[in-house]
Amino acid sequence: MSIPPQIGRDLPRADAHAKVTGAARYSAEHRPTGAVHAVLVCSRVPSGRITGIDASRALVSEGVLAVLSHLNLPRVAAQPRLIPSLAGTTAHGQSFFPMQDERIHYAGQPVAMVVADTLERAEHAAELVEVDYAEEPWTTTLDQGRDRAYEAERIFGGFVPGRMDRGDVEAGLAEAETVLESTHRFAANHHNAIEPSATTAVWEDSKLMLYDTTQGPTATRLTVAELLGVPPSNVRVVSEFVGGSFGGKAMIWAHPTLAAMAAQHVRAPVTLALTRAQTFSNTGHREEQEHTLTLGARSDGTLTAIRYRKLSPTSHFDDWAEPSLGPAAQLYACPNFEGVYDLVRANTMTPTFMRAPGEGTGAFVIETAMDELAHELGLDPLELRLRNHADTDPETGNPWSSKGLRECYARGAELFGWHSRDPRPVQGARREGDWLLGTGMAGAFYPVYSVMNPQRARARVYADGRAVVETGCSDIGTGAATVMGQVAAEALGMESEVVTVHYGDTELPNTVAAVGSAGAGAVSAAVHTAARELRDQLVAQALADRGSPLYGAHPGEIEVRSGRMSLRGSPDTGESYGEMLVRNMTFDAEAVGSWQPPGRDSGYGTATFGAQFAEVAVDPDLGLVRVRRMTGVFAPGRVLNRRTAHSQLMGGMLWGLGQALLEATHMEPNQGRWANPSLGEYLVPVNADAPDVQVEMLEVEDRVVNPLGVKGVGEIGQVGAAAAIANAVFHATGRRFRDLPITIESVMAPA
């Protein structure tokens, strides 16, 4: 019996039924016997110190069990250190843990925690806690602190240098016949996943169980264990369902440890769920940013030099900035590049990963600048990009492990109808009633991050013909459980429908957190290795079994289809896994597989590429921008499941629409706190904003990144989408918008 390849199948999600029926239980929905609730009290001021806490009214409120603050909360066992979760170690979100002293570093910082028998009573009592402050001067915006900016030595948890140089930028600019300089500003952004972060903590003697909404169960385990001073083996983390994340649940913030501390104090299970407003000041954000870019080019469009400086605020305790220089440094062949990250110490929590962290903003800058350069030189924007195509990695000179960008440009242009466009960026040149029409395009680039620790998985086949694969990774809504079942099925020679995936539990073999589009490649490599080792083990057992029809055959002569081992070319000679196990009075067989990532210095440039196209309609009198259609073509290596990959890419493109036109968190500089911490005022795209979105994937073979050649699709869909939209707005109106989001007010403002 022949079965189709399992990898690449368009299968529905394995968790779909549980989610649509309400059977899925999220972290705050676990209700152990005797469970109570904790609610945070957060600072109203951005800087200063606590001069007094009066919890007397809260403590006598009905149902209240405790009020914890720096006055009675135990001290953590270790000072947090900022290490990104890709490292496979602890993953503290910032080098600061709250409620340890009276110092206030930012508005929204937790200053007390109320524990009560019901959520409503805990919320009421939290309102009764009175906190007095001695306020001190603060800095919360770039404009307030730019005179104190400094050049960072390293950023991004120490992974990225604060300065990047190659060639001689001054010589390159002197050689250029055209020099363009532009400044771009980005509003701060927040993740706003459907499910706010939450933890349910349960102690049983010295053992701690955490139900946590996290992108990395192992990262939560190691981080909480370090802060509590307990062995990691005493901490178990279960993350069955995660209601979205986009980076906000990648690093480990204070609430899982605070929940564990509260549970230990009241000797009962505790659920601590952040409110929507609290997620704005307790789980990181994309920082406010200012980018200054200088491009030098010859008259034919060939780039001679790129100079790039980024300025952004960080916390008082960490040098954090999105690595936004990457697209400008690596997307185009340019011999001379200089990039610098400047930081401002501010009264904010440490920023963090947000979908396409750095690439989302950096691609907007370089891709709108390339559009501007094309207009200046009278070139088609697509042609300019082709003239500067990087055949090798410009940073290292190494060959790409795989690319496919030229093919993405060509296919995207064909699907979108790019070559039939009217190139004139003139207001009113293309009009439909009051609407001005325009089209734009951009390239997309996202690095393939190399995880650092071995990736492990376990595969098991049962005598009844079913299989289970186990891995500790979270499924944050991407469909990881679905595609891992497909990977295991293909390696075992079985159908995906008979393979079950167990995941999201630190008792299972360890894999990397689902971050940086690295999860699919890393976890699939471990699952593939485990399943392949089990297949080979079962085949070897059959060949050594005198009772098997395959006894004595050579391993290379065996093929497995639908769980049945047979001689190649003689399908009637063979037996199923189950038949062999039953004959040997064995209920199951299992194998653990481990994959060691290749490391950073593989000798290749590793990245995912794509091309984005957009058509917009602009009403200049009302300031409205409507995106009518978007086309994205991407080369993500091997595609594990076309349905889930399509969903990820389309979601990323729509997020790019939100980045371009809607998303902004506004800081009240006089109050030092976020002004719009709710979904009522923080704008995200809804169905009415969504245009027709066309997505296509071009598979490219990659023998470097991992055994299956998977490069990931979680971030690349967003990269370049905002730039394509902004370039389309320029094409419609003749006006260049360099700041995001492009607001109604900016469109209506005089040119």
Side-chain angles (χ1 to χ4, degrees), residues 5-11 402 408 478-479 482-484 486-487 490 496 520-521 524 608-609 632-649 695-702 705-714 716:
Q6 300 302 296
I7 292 179
R9 285 183 66 189
D10 182 2
L11 290 180
S402 61
C408 290
T478 58
T482 307
V483 298
M484 292 312 126
Q486 293 177 249
V487 169
E490 178 131 322
S496 299
S524 69
T608 305
F609 295 90
V633 180
F634 307 94
R638 193 172 185 186
V639 178
L640 297 176
N641 181 314
R642 289 202 165 266
R643 182 182 303 197
T644 58
H646 181 279
S647 177
Q648 285 293 293
L649 291 167
V695 178
E696 190 162 303
M697 290 162 275
L698 304 178
E699 292 195 66
V700 290
E701 184 179 23
D702 196 310
V705 292
N706 48 62
L708 296 178
V710 177
K711 297 202 286 187
V713 295
I716 188 69

Tab-separated table of all heavy atoms in Angstrom, residues 5-11 402 408 478-479 482-484 486-487 490 496 520-521 524 608-609 632-649 695-702 705-714 716:
chain	number	residue	atom	x	y	z
A	5	PRO	N	3.613	11.442	0.759
A	5	PRO	CA	4.497	12.055	1.751
A	5	PRO	C	3.672	12.772	2.819
A	5	PRO	O	2.667	13.417	2.524
A	5	PRO	CB	5.325	13.039	0.918
A	5	PRO	CG	5.246	12.534	-0.496
A	5	PRO	CD	3.903	11.901	-0.614
A	6	GLN	N	4.088	12.648	4.061
A	6	GLN	CA	3.353	13.289	5.148
A	6	GLN	C	3.802	14.737	5.349
A	6	GLN	O	3.000	15.603	5.690
A	6	GLN	CB	3.555	12.494	6.441
A	6	GLN	CG	3.076	11.053	6.342
A	6	GLN	CD	1.603	10.961	5.974
A	6	GLN	OE1	0.733	11.393	6.722
A	6	GLN	NE2	1.319	10.402	4.803
A	7	ILE	N	5.090	14.993	5.142
A	7	ILE	CA	5.578	16.367	5.224
A	7	ILE	C	5.073	17.150	4.020
A	7	ILE	O	5.179	16.707	2.880
A	7	ILE	CB	7.117	16.396	5.280
A	7	ILE	CG1	7.600	15.805	6.605
A	7	ILE	CG2	7.648	17.812	5.102
A	7	ILE	CD1	9.103	15.759	6.753
A	8	GLY	N	4.514	18.321	4.291
A	8	GLY	CA	3.963	19.154	3.230
A	8	GLY	C	2.470	19.005	3.044
A	8	GLY	O	1.848	19.795	2.331
A	9	ARG	N	1.865	17.995	3.695
A	9	ARG	CA	0.419	17.811	3.550
A	9	ARG	C	-0.342	19.006	4.129
A	9	ARG	O	0.074	19.630	5.095
A	9	ARG	CB	-0.036	16.533	4.270
A	9	ARG	CG	0.309	15.250	3.565
A	9	ARG	CD	-0.255	14.066	4.341
A	9	ARG	NE	-1.716	14.040	4.356
A	9	ARG	CZ	-2.433	13.212	5.105
A	9	ARG	NH1	-1.819	12.351	5.916
A	9	ARG	NH2	-3.754	13.246	5.063
A	10	ASP	N	-1.473	19.284	3.543
A	10	ASP	CA	-2.341	20.380	3.994
A	10	ASP	C	-3.314	19.819	5.026
A	10	ASP	O	-4.482	19.587	4.743
A	10	ASP	CB	-3.081	20.951	2.779
A	10	ASP	CG	-3.979	22.118	3.130
A	10	ASP	OD1	-4.001	22.520	4.304
A	10	ASP	OD2	-4.675	22.619	2.229
A	11	LEU	N	-2.806	19.593	6.256
A	11	LEU	CA	-3.618	18.964	7.292
A	11	LEU	C	-4.198	20.009	8.232
A	11	LEU	O	-3.549	21.015	8.535
A	11	LEU	CB	-2.766	17.985	8.112
A	11	LEU	CG	-2.321	16.704	7.416
A	11	LEU	CD1	-1.495	15.865	8.371
A	11	LEU	CD2	-3.516	15.906	6.921
A	402	SER	N	20.832	28.742	1.223
A	402	SER	CA	19.799	28.708	0.190
A	402	SER	C	19.245	30.118	0.117
A	402	SER	O	19.391	30.897	1.061
A	402	SER	CB	18.684	27.700	0.510
A	402	SER	OG	18.032	28.043	1.727
A	408	CYS	N	11.389	34.779	-5.870
A	408	CYS	CA	10.274	35.421	-5.160
A	408	CYS	C	9.893	36.737	-5.830
A	408	CYS	O	8.701	37.042	-5.988
A	408	CYS	CB	10.647	35.665	-3.699
A	408	CYS	SG	10.772	34.171	-2.698
A	478	THR	N	0.915	28.250	16.445
A	478	THR	CA	1.511	28.128	15.116
A	478	THR	C	1.205	26.797	14.441
A	478	THR	O	1.452	26.646	13.247
A	478	THR	CB	3.032	28.287	15.215
A	478	THR	OG1	3.546	27.299	16.116
A	478	THR	CG2	3.406	29.669	15.733
A	479	GLY	N	0.724	25.815	15.217
A	479	GLY	CA	0.475	24.490	14.661
A	479	GLY	C	1.641	23.543	14.845
A	479	GLY	O	1.769	22.554	14.113
A	482	THR	N	0.813	19.867	15.171
A	482	THR	CA	0.358	19.271	13.907
A	482	THR	C	1.541	18.878	13.033
A	482	THR	O	1.636	17.740	12.554
A	482	THR	CB	-0.553	20.258	13.159
A	482	THR	OG1	-1.594	20.685	14.028
A	482	THR	CG2	-1.142	19.617	11.918
A	483	VAL	N	2.464	19.813	12.831
A	483	VAL	CA	3.564	19.536	11.908
A	483	VAL	C	4.552	18.535	12.495
A	483	VAL	O	5.161	17.759	11.743
A	483	VAL	CB	4.280	20.834	11.489
A	483	VAL	CG1	3.311	21.756	10.760
A	483	VAL	CG2	4.896	21.560	12.668
A	484	MET	N	4.702	18.497	13.829
A	484	MET	CA	5.601	17.501	14.402
A	484	MET	C	5.052	16.092	14.205
A	484	MET	O	5.806	15.140	14.024
A	484	MET	CB	5.838	17.785	15.887
A	484	MET	CG	6.629	19.051	16.153
A	484	MET	SD	8.119	19.203	15.146
A	484	MET	CE	7.859	20.820	14.413
A	486	GLN	N	3.397	15.204	11.580
A	486	GLN	CA	3.697	14.900	10.180
A	486	GLN	C	5.155	14.490	9.999
A	486	GLN	O	5.466	13.560	9.243
A	486	GLN	CB	3.384	16.120	9.305
A	486	GLN	CG	1.905	16.452	9.234
A	486	GLN	CD	1.634	17.709	8.430
A	486	GLN	OE1	1.228	18.729	8.981
A	486	GLN	NE2	1.869	17.648	7.134
A	487	VAL	N	6.057	15.195	10.683
A	487	VAL	CA	7.479	14.860	10.587
A	487	VAL	C	7.721	13.448	11.110
A	487	VAL	O	8.422	12.642	10.480
A	487	VAL	CB	8.319	15.889	11.374
A	487	VAL	CG1	9.766	15.420	11.508
A	487	VAL	CG2	8.259	17.248	10.692
A	490	GLU	N	6.275	10.744	8.685
A	490	GLU	CA	7.082	10.498	7.481
A	490	GLU	C	8.310	9.665	7.806
A	490	GLU	O	8.673	8.741	7.063
A	490	GLU	CB	7.496	11.830	6.849
A	490	GLU	CG	8.372	11.660	5.631
A	490	GLU	CD	7.891	12.473	4.449
A	490	GLU	OE1	6.671	12.591	4.236
A	490	GLU	OE2	8.744	12.967	3.712
A	496	SER	N	-0.053	10.358	9.169
A	496	SER	CA	-0.112	11.338	10.261
A	496	SER	C	-1.300	11.100	11.176
A	496	SER	O	-1.245	11.412	12.380
A	496	SER	CB	-0.184	12.759	9.679
A	496	SER	OG	0.959	13.050	8.915
A	520	ALA	N	10.344	25.556	14.521
A	520	ALA	CA	10.006	24.531	13.530
A	520	ALA	C	11.236	23.764	13.080
A	520	ALA	O	11.226	22.529	12.992
A	520	ALA	CB	9.303	25.171	12.336
A	521	GLY	N	12.323	24.488	12.784
A	521	GLY	CA	13.525	23.819	12.316
A	521	GLY	C	14.180	22.973	13.384
A	521	GLY	O	14.571	21.824	13.141
A	524	SER	N	11.637	20.046	14.673
A	524	SER	CA	11.441	19.033	13.630
A	524	SER	C	12.696	18.185	13.455
A	524	SER	O	12.603	16.980	13.172
A	524	SER	CB	11.056	19.687	12.304
A	524	SER	OG	12.138	20.417	11.742
A	608	THR	N	15.999	33.575	5.569
A	608	THR	CA	14.798	33.358	4.763
A	608	THR	C	14.505	34.650	4.008
A	608	THR	O	14.656	35.744	4.553
A	608	THR	CB	13.601	33.002	5.652
A	608	THR	OG1	13.946	31.875	6.463
A	608	THR	CG2	12.374	32.657	4.815
A	609	PHE	N	14.064	34.515	2.754
A	609	PHE	CA	13.828	35.683	1.914
A	609	PHE	C	12.415	35.648	1.336
A	609	PHE	O	11.770	34.600	1.266
A	609	PHE	CB	14.849	35.728	0.769
A	609	PHE	CG	16.265	35.922	1.231
A	609	PHE	CD1	17.074	34.830	1.515
A	609	PHE	CD2	16.784	37.192	1.399
A	609	PHE	CE1	18.379	34.997	1.948
A	609	PHE	CE2	18.091	37.383	1.832
A	609	PHE	CZ	18.884	36.279	2.109
A	632	GLY	N	2.336	38.175	-1.180
A	632	GLY	CA	3.631	37.830	-0.613
A	632	GLY	C	4.103	36.494	-1.147
A	632	GLY	O	3.338	35.527	-1.166
A	633	VAL	N	5.355	36.449	-1.601
A	633	VAL	CA	5.956	35.195	-2.061
A	633	VAL	C	7.234	34.990	-1.256
A	633	VAL	O	8.072	35.901	-1.161
A	633	VAL	CB	6.269	35.231	-3.567
A	633	VAL	CG1	6.896	33.913	-4.008
A	633	VAL	CG2	4.996	35.502	-4.366
A	634	PHE	N	7.384	33.800	-0.671
A	634	PHE	CA	8.458	33.555	0.276
A	634	PHE	C	9.161	32.237	-0.046
A	634	PHE	O	8.553	31.312	-0.594
A	634	PHE	CB	7.901	33.507	1.702
A	634	PHE	CG	7.075	34.716	2.051
A	634	PHE	CD1	5.686	34.700	1.883
A	634	PHE	CD2	7.668	35.875	2.508
A	634	PHE	CE1	4.920	35.811	2.180
A	634	PHE	CE2	6.910	36.996	2.813
A	634	PHE	CZ	5.535	36.962	2.642
A	635	ALA	N	10.443	32.166	0.337
A	635	ALA	CA	11.253	30.964	0.117
A	635	ALA	C	11.729	30.437	1.460
A	635	ALA	O	12.865	30.689	1.873
A	635	ALA	CB	12.434	31.294	-0.787
A	636	PRO	N	10.861	29.712	2.185
A	636	PRO	CA	11.169	29.330	3.564
A	636	PRO	C	11.848	27.976	3.726
A	636	PRO	O	11.711	27.336	4.770
A	636	PRO	CB	9.782	29.311	4.201
A	636	PRO	CG	8.901	28.805	3.091
A	636	PRO	CD	9.492	29.340	1.813
A	637	GLY	N	12.562	27.518	2.704
A	637	GLY	CA	13.114	26.179	2.790
A	637	GLY	C	12.018	25.155	2.568
A	637	GLY	O	11.134	25.340	1.721
A	638	ARG	N	12.036	24.085	3.332
A	638	ARG	CA	11.020	23.049	3.191
A	638	ARG	C	9.785	23.430	3.992
A	638	ARG	O	9.881	23.886	5.136
A	638	ARG	CB	11.565	21.711	3.680
A	638	ARG	CG	10.693	20.521	3.278
A	638	ARG	CD	11.391	19.226	3.611
A	638	ARG	NE	10.643	18.070	3.133
A	638	ARG	CZ	10.974	16.814	3.386
A	638	ARG	NH1	12.063	16.564	4.115
A	638	ARG	NH2	10.258	15.815	2.925
A	639	VAL	N	8.619	23.216	3.412
A	639	VAL	CA	7.351	23.554	4.050
A	639	VAL	C	6.784	22.285	4.680
A	639	VAL	O	6.537	21.299	3.985
A	639	VAL	CB	6.361	24.155	3.040
A	639	VAL	CG1	5.027	24.449	3.712
A	639	VAL	CG2	6.939	25.427	2.418
A	640	LEU	N	6.563	22.320	5.992
A	640	LEU	CA	6.092	21.130	6.700
A	640	LEU	C	4.594	20.912	6.533
A	640	LEU	O	4.137	19.778	6.449
A	640	LEU	CB	6.439	21.239	8.180
A	640	LEU	CG	7.935	21.298	8.503
A	640	LEU	CD1	8.157	21.503	9.997
A	640	LEU	CD2	8.639	20.034	8.028
A	641	ASN	N	3.817	21.995	6.536
A	641	ASN	CA	2.368	21.906	6.371
A	641	ASN	C	1.921	23.180	5.673
A	641	ASN	O	2.040	24.272	6.228
A	641	ASN	CB	1.677	21.762	7.732
A	641	ASN	CG	0.161	21.644	7.622
A	641	ASN	OD1	-0.493	22.396	6.904
A	641	ASN	ND2	-0.411	20.710	8.361
A	642	ARG	N	1.400	23.065	4.480
A	642	ARG	CA	1.086	24.256	3.699
A	642	ARG	C	-0.049	25.067	4.321
A	642	ARG	O	-0.089	26.286	4.195
A	642	ARG	CB	0.749	23.881	2.256
A	642	ARG	CG	1.978	23.419	1.497
A	642	ARG	CD	1.862	23.540	-0.008
A	642	ARG	NE	3.193	23.416	-0.594
A	642	ARG	CZ	3.978	24.433	-0.893
A	642	ARG	NH1	3.562	25.665	-0.660
A	642	ARG	NH2	5.168	24.240	-1.419
A	643	ARG	N	-0.962	24.407	5.003
A	643	ARG	CA	-2.075	25.147	5.601
A	643	ARG	C	-1.590	26.004	6.774
A	643	ARG	O	-1.895	27.190	6.848
A	643	ARG	CB	-3.164	24.189	6.082
A	643	ARG	CG	-4.372	24.910	6.664
A	643	ARG	CD	-5.425	23.948	7.181
A	643	ARG	NE	-5.886	23.020	6.156
A	643	ARG	CZ	-7.013	22.312	6.250
A	643	ARG	NH1	-7.803	22.450	7.310
A	643	ARG	NH2	-7.345	21.468	5.303
A	644	THR	N	-0.840	25.410	7.696
A	644	THR	CA	-0.371	26.182	8.842
A	644	THR	C	0.658	27.225	8.422
A	644	THR	O	0.689	28.334	8.974
A	644	THR	CB	0.217	25.261	9.915
A	644	THR	OG1	1.291	24.486	9.357
A	644	THR	CG2	-0.838	24.323	10.470
A	645	ALA	N	1.509	26.910	7.447
A	645	ALA	CA	2.492	27.888	6.970
A	645	ALA	C	1.789	29.064	6.300
A	645	ALA	O	2.163	30.226	6.506
A	645	ALA	CB	3.467	27.221	6.005
A	646	HIS	N	0.775	28.777	5.489
A	646	HIS	CA	0.012	29.844	4.841
A	646	HIS	C	-0.613	30.746	5.894
A	646	HIS	O	-0.594	31.987	5.771
A	646	HIS	CB	-1.064	29.227	3.939
A	646	HIS	CG	-1.901	30.228	3.206
A	646	HIS	ND1	-2.966	30.893	3.787
A	646	HIS	CD2	-1.825	30.685	1.929
A	646	HIS	CE1	-3.512	31.701	2.910
A	646	HIS	NE2	-2.838	31.601	1.780
A	647	SER	N	-1.166	30.145	6.945
A	647	SER	CA	-1.792	30.923	8.006
A	647	SER	C	-0.786	31.833	8.693
A	647	SER	O	-1.069	33.009	8.971
A	647	SER	CB	-2.439	29.980	9.025
A	647	SER	OG	-2.997	30.696	10.100
A	648	GLN	N	0.411	31.299	8.979
A	648	GLN	CA	1.444	32.111	9.615
A	648	GLN	C	1.877	33.279	8.732
A	648	GLN	O	2.039	34.411	9.205
A	648	GLN	CB	2.654	31.237	9.941
A	648	GLN	CG	2.456	30.338	11.134
A	648	GLN	CD	2.343	31.132	12.420
A	648	GLN	OE1	3.293	31.766	12.866
A	648	GLN	NE2	1.162	31.138	13.009
A	649	LEU	N	2.067	33.026	7.457
A	649	LEU	CA	2.525	34.078	6.548
A	649	LEU	C	1.448	35.138	6.350
A	649	LEU	O	1.730	36.344	6.355
A	649	LEU	CB	2.944	33.464	5.209
A	649	LEU	CG	4.220	32.617	5.276
A	649	LEU	CD1	4.393	31.791	4.009
A	649	LEU	CD2	5.446	33.497	5.501
A	695	VAL	N	-0.816	34.529	-0.821
A	695	VAL	CA	0.439	34.003	-0.277
A	695	VAL	C	0.896	32.835	-1.133
A	695	VAL	O	0.098	31.951	-1.478
A	695	VAL	CB	0.267	33.526	1.176
A	695	VAL	CG1	1.569	32.933	1.706
A	695	VAL	CG2	-0.189	34.671	2.067
A	696	GLU	N	2.158	32.824	-1.467
A	696	GLU	CA	2.722	31.679	-2.181
A	696	GLU	C	4.092	31.364	-1.596
A	696	GLU	O	4.840	32.268	-1.212
A	696	GLU	CB	2.825	31.959	-3.682
A	696	GLU	CG	3.166	30.726	-4.485
A	696	GLU	CD	2.858	30.873	-5.967
A	696	GLU	OE1	1.699	31.164	-6.315
A	696	GLU	OE2	3.794	30.696	-6.779
A	697	MET	N	4.411	30.069	-1.524
A	697	MET	CA	5.694	29.618	-0.997
A	697	MET	C	6.464	28.888	-2.084
A	697	MET	O	5.921	28.031	-2.781
A	697	MET	CB	5.471	28.680	0.194
A	697	MET	CG	4.932	29.378	1.436
A	697	MET	SD	4.185	28.237	2.635
A	697	MET	CE	2.508	28.110	1.972
A	698	LEU	N	7.732	29.246	-2.220
A	698	LEU	CA	8.629	28.581	-3.157
A	698	LEU	C	9.643	27.790	-2.335
A	698	LEU	O	10.484	28.374	-1.648
A	698	LEU	CB	9.348	29.608	-4.039
A	698	LEU	CG	8.462	30.572	-4.833
A	698	LEU	CD1	9.325	31.546	-5.622
A	698	LEU	CD2	7.523	29.811	-5.769
A	699	GLU	N	9.543	26.481	-2.369
A	699	GLU	CA	10.460	25.668	-1.573
A	699	GLU	C	11.852	25.678	-2.201
A	699	GLU	O	12.008	25.489	-3.404
A	699	GLU	CB	9.942	24.241	-1.447
A	699	GLU	CG	8.680	24.129	-0.604
A	699	GLU	CD	8.373	22.706	-0.183
A	699	GLU	OE1	9.159	22.141	0.604
A	699	GLU	OE2	7.368	22.155	-0.649
A	700	VAL	N	12.846	25.941	-1.363
A	700	VAL	CA	14.241	25.889	-1.796
A	700	VAL	C	14.959	24.866	-0.930
A	700	VAL	O	14.726	24.772	0.277
A	700	VAL	CB	14.924	27.267	-1.683
A	700	VAL	CG1	14.363	28.226	-2.713
A	700	VAL	CG2	14.770	27.857	-0.291
A	701	GLU	N	15.825	24.091	-1.538
A	701	GLU	CA	16.540	23.049	-0.793
A	701	GLU	C	17.648	23.681	0.039
A	701	GLU	O	18.416	24.506	-0.443
A	701	GLU	CB	17.130	22.018	-1.749
A	701	GLU	CG	17.800	20.856	-1.022
A	701	GLU	CD	18.361	19.820	-1.979
A	701	GLU	OE1	18.637	20.168	-3.144
A	701	GLU	OE2	18.544	18.660	-1.545
A	702	ASP	N	17.719	23.283	1.306
A	702	ASP	CA	18.756	23.784	2.200
A	702	ASP	C	19.320	22.610	2.980
A	702	ASP	O	18.614	21.984	3.773
A	702	ASP	CB	18.174	24.835	3.152
A	702	ASP	CG	19.247	25.659	3.835
A	702	ASP	OD1	20.184	25.054	4.391
A	702	ASP	OD2	19.157	26.902	3.814
A	705	VAL	N	20.852	24.223	7.335
A	705	VAL	CA	20.212	24.741	8.545
A	705	VAL	C	19.776	23.637	9.507
A	705	VAL	O	19.866	23.802	10.729
A	705	VAL	CB	19.015	25.650	8.185
A	705	VAL	CG1	19.503	26.930	7.532
A	705	VAL	CG2	18.009	24.935	7.279
A	706	ASN	N	19.293	22.509	8.993
A	706	ASN	CA	18.873	21.378	9.825
A	706	ASN	C	18.569	20.207	8.893
A	706	ASN	O	18.548	20.380	7.664
A	706	ASN	CB	17.657	21.738	10.701
A	706	ASN	CG	16.551	22.414	9.922
A	706	ASN	OD1	15.988	21.830	8.996
A	706	ASN	ND2	16.233	23.659	10.278
A	707	PRO	N	18.341	19.008	9.421
A	707	PRO	CA	18.189	17.829	8.547
A	707	PRO	C	17.077	17.932	7.520
A	707	PRO	O	17.184	17.344	6.435
A	707	PRO	CB	17.911	16.698	9.545
A	707	PRO	CG	18.537	17.140	10.806
A	707	PRO	CD	18.372	18.624	10.846
A	708	LEU	N	16.000	18.645	7.820
A	708	LEU	CA	14.874	18.728	6.892
A	708	LEU	C	14.902	19.999	6.043
A	708	LEU	O	14.038	20.182	5.192
A	708	LEU	CB	13.550	18.646	7.663
A	708	LEU	CG	13.284	17.329	8.389
A	708	LEU	CD1	11.974	17.400	9.159
A	708	LEU	CD2	13.265	16.154	7.415
A	709	GLY	N	15.858	20.886	6.284
A	709	GLY	CA	15.936	22.110	5.496
A	709	GLY	C	14.822	23.090	5.786
A	709	GLY	O	14.375	23.822	4.900
A	710	VAL	N	14.370	23.152	7.049
A	710	VAL	CA	13.258	24.010	7.449
A	710	VAL	C	13.812	25.331	7.978
A	710	VAL	O	14.633	25.342	8.900
A	710	VAL	CB	12.412	23.327	8.540
A	710	VAL	CG1	11.300	24.244	9.016
A	710	VAL	CG2	11.838	22.013	8.009
A	711	LYS	N	13.356	26.457	7.419
A	711	LYS	CA	13.858	27.769	7.855
A	711	LYS	C	12.829	28.565	8.652
A	711	LYS	O	13.178	29.562	9.275
A	711	LYS	CB	14.333	28.579	6.654
A	711	LYS	CG	15.518	27.922	5.934
A	711	LYS	CD	16.325	28.883	5.113
A	711	LYS	CE	15.660	29.319	3.855
A	711	LYS	NZ	16.541	30.124	2.995
A	712	GLY	N	11.568	28.166	8.659
A	712	GLY	CA	10.578	28.839	9.496
A	712	GLY	C	9.854	29.960	8.783
A	712	GLY	O	10.396	30.612	7.880
A	713	VAL	N	8.594	30.191	9.207
A	713	VAL	CA	7.756	31.204	8.556
A	713	VAL	C	7.087	32.150	9.554
A	713	VAL	O	6.297	32.997	9.169
A	713	VAL	CB	6.658	30.539	7.690
A	713	VAL	CG1	7.262	29.774	6.540
A	713	VAL	CG2	5.757	29.636	8.529
A	714	GLY	N	7.392	32.021	10.843
A	714	GLY	CA	6.671	32.789	11.847
A	714	GLY	C	6.846	34.289	11.739
A	714	GLY	O	5.941	35.047	12.077
A	716	ILE	N	8.796	36.044	8.894
A	716	ILE	CA	9.113	36.607	7.581
A	716	ILE	C	7.894	37.236	6.911
A	716	ILE	O	8.023	38.181	6.131
A	716	ILE	CB	9.740	35.511	6.671
A	716	ILE	CG1	10.263	36.101	5.363
A	716	ILE	CG2	8.741	34.395	6.392
A	716	ILE	CD1	11.459	36.990	5.527
